[in-house]
Amino acid sequence: MALSRSVLRDLIGRQLAQQVRFAASAPATQPKKPEALSQETHARKHEGSVKKVEHEAMKVADPETPKVTSMFDEWGTVYVSPYTKNWKPMPKDFKEHPDRDLANFPHPEMKLRPDKVRLGFIPDKWFLAFYEKTGVTGPYLFGIGLWSFLISKEIVVLEEEMSHMPPLLFINYMVLRLFGHKVEGYYDEVIQNDQIGPLSAVRDQELTGVKQFRSYVDTANKAYDTLLEVLPEVRRENVALELEAVYRERVNQVYKETKRRVEYLVESESVKRRFEQQHMVNWIVDQVTKSFGPEQEKKIMSKCIGDLKTLAKSA
């Protein structure tokens, strides 16, 4: 929420007044020129108006002040919102994002205080518009002449009920001077609680989320930096482990292949030995069988049958 032009004008005026006071306190080495004198006079006038505004702003209704003895003790108290009195203007070097559309979506502005008025209800800027053409008395003469014209042409008719206007205006002025700051404070509190408060809560919640995300990003960046420091060593260790795994796998393959070949040789020798034994047995049996005659076969068969019978009886 941006500050109003009147508040910015007051801040700039205070800065100019400080510069003038500093220049006045410095030792004068050269006579001042007429232009400098006019600028200094203008600055002094502005300083006087600023001091008047500051003096009025100091008369703020404070709940901690002692109880007043009369309602007129608060006469002309100027209300300054506690929510906005410490606001600061936007920095001059602030730059918007290039994608921000300020033409269609400008910054919202809200006046912190109403504009200065004269006679209780006439804006001061209306009087300033007359000064360049008519001088200081011009707006007053214009108002009196306009009012006289309206009465003389009976555009404004003076009747008996018109006598009520001055008392009513006086009463309104008195109420405004005595109780205006209280009404402003009440509605300022209502606006703060009903409108600005919920929006501020949403803003604070969003800011809390942003801060948490920022802390998470910082933690992740620190972890990433730490990882970058140990990453080369980790990669070297991983490569060494991979080489060790490949070496062990190849050694295992060599072992299996050697074992397979040795088992093949052992099996080949075993088969060869069994074949030779079987061949030798068959050859001996054939030779022995060929050496037997028919009579020997009968004797052997009868002998075998007799042995079998003997074995059967003993069993």
Side-chain angles (χ1 to χ4, degrees):
M1 186 177 296
L3 294 175
S4 63
R5 296 181 179 176
S6 59
V7 177
L8 291 177
R9 193 184 304 114
D10 292 341
L11 294 174
I12 296 172
R14 293 176 188 176
Q15 187 176 4
L16 290 175
Q18 292 177 0
Q19 293 177 0
V20 170
R21 286 196 294 267
F22 178 77
S25 62
T29 56
Q30 296 180 358
K32 297 182 179 180
K33 298 181 180 180
E35 295 81 0
L37 291 175
S38 62
Q39 292 179 358
E40 183 177 354
T41 304
H42 179 72
R44 287 181 179 176
K45 291 182 179 179
H46 195 80
E47 181 182 359
S49 62
V50 169
K51 287 184 178 180
K52 184 177 179 180
V53 172
E54 291 178 351
H55 179 69
E56 292 179 354
M58 290 296 292
K59 297 167 61 179
V60 180
D62 190 356
E64 297 181 359
T65 55
K67 186 176 180 180
V68 295
T69 58
S70 174
M71 67 177 180
F72 290 97
D73 292 343
E74 297 182 358
W75 175 270
T77 301
V78 178
Y79 176 76
V80 179
S81 174
Y83 307 106
T84 59
K85 66 180 180 180
N86 295 325
W87 283 6
K88 297 181 180 179
M90 185 177 294
K92 295 181 179 180
D93 57 348
F94 178 78
K95 295 182 179 179
E96 284 284 355
H97 193 272
D99 294 341
R100 174 66 188 269
D101 186 7
L102 294 176
N104 298 322
F105 303 95
H107 291 290
E109 294 185 3
M110 186 180 72
K111 293 183 179 180
L112 300 181
R113 300 179 185 87
D115 295 334
K116 183 179 179 182
V117 296
R118 296 190 185 183
L119 303 178
F121 66 99
I122 304 177
D124 182 67
K125 59 184 179 180
W126 291 8
F127 289 82
L128 298 179
F130 282 86
Y131 284 175
E132 296 181 359
K133 302 295 183 181
T134 63
V136 178
T137 59
Y140 300 98
L141 294 176
F142 174 77
I144 296 173
L146 179 61
W147 187 251
S148 301
F149 171 77
L150 295 177
I151 293 175
S152 64
K153 297 300 181 180
E154 295 186 358
I155 298 175
V156 175
V157 180
L158 297 179
E159 51 187 4
E160 62 274 7
E161 294 183 357
M162 291 291 292
S163 60
H164 300 165
M165 183 180 295
L168 289 176
L169 292 177
F170 178 73
I171 292 172
N172 290 336
Y173 178 75
M174 293 284 291
V175 171
L176 179 63
R177 296 286 286 178
L178 291 174
F179 306 106
H181 63 281
K182 295 183 179 180
V183 176
E184 289 185 53
Y186 170 75
Y187 282 106
D188 184 72
E189 190 72 23
V190 171
I191 293 173
Q192 179 67 26
N193 295 333
D194 296 345
Q195 299 181 8
I196 301 179
L199 296 177
S200 300
V202 174
R203 181 198 60 187
D204 295 339
Q205 183 178 3
E206 295 293 335
L207 289 176
T208 303
V210 170
K211 291 179 180 178
Q212 293 178 353
F213 179 74
R214 184 174 181 179
S215 62
Y216 169 76
V217 171
D218 293 339
T219 305
N221 289 332
K222 292 180 181 178
Y224 180 72
D225 295 337
T226 306
L227 179 62
L228 288 179
E229 294 177 359
V230 300
L231 184 60
E233 186 66 24
V234 172
R235 289 183 65 86
R236 283 194 293 269
E237 292 180 0
N238 289 337
V239 171
L241 290 175
E242 291 177 359
L243 292 176
E244 182 69 18
V246 172
Y247 170 75
R248 291 179 179 273
E249 183 179 359
R250 291 182 179 180
V251 169
N252 190 22
Q253 290 179 356
V254 172
Y255 165 74
K256 290 181 179 180
E257 186 67 21
T258 304
K259 181 181 178 182
R260 186 181 66 80
R261 293 188 180 187
V262 171
E263 290 177 352
Y264 173 76
L265 293 175
V266 172
E267 186 68 23
S268 299
E269 291 294 330
S270 177
V271 171
K272 183 178 180 181
R273 189 179 300 109
R274 287 198 305 269
F275 180 76
E276 290 177 350
Q277 290 177 356
Q278 186 68 29
H279 177 71
M280 182 61 69
V281 169
N282 293 335
W283 182 77
I284 292 173
V285 171
D286 290 340
Q287 293 297 327
V288 171
T289 303
K290 290 179 181 178
S291 63
F292 289 164
E295 294 179 357
Q296 292 179 348
E297 289 182 1
K298 290 180 180 180
K299 290 179 179 180
I300 292 172
M301 292 296 294
S302 61
K303 178 65 176 172
C304 290
I305 292 171
D307 292 338
L308 290 173
K309 290 180 179 180
T310 303
L311 292 173
K313 291 177 179 181
S314 62

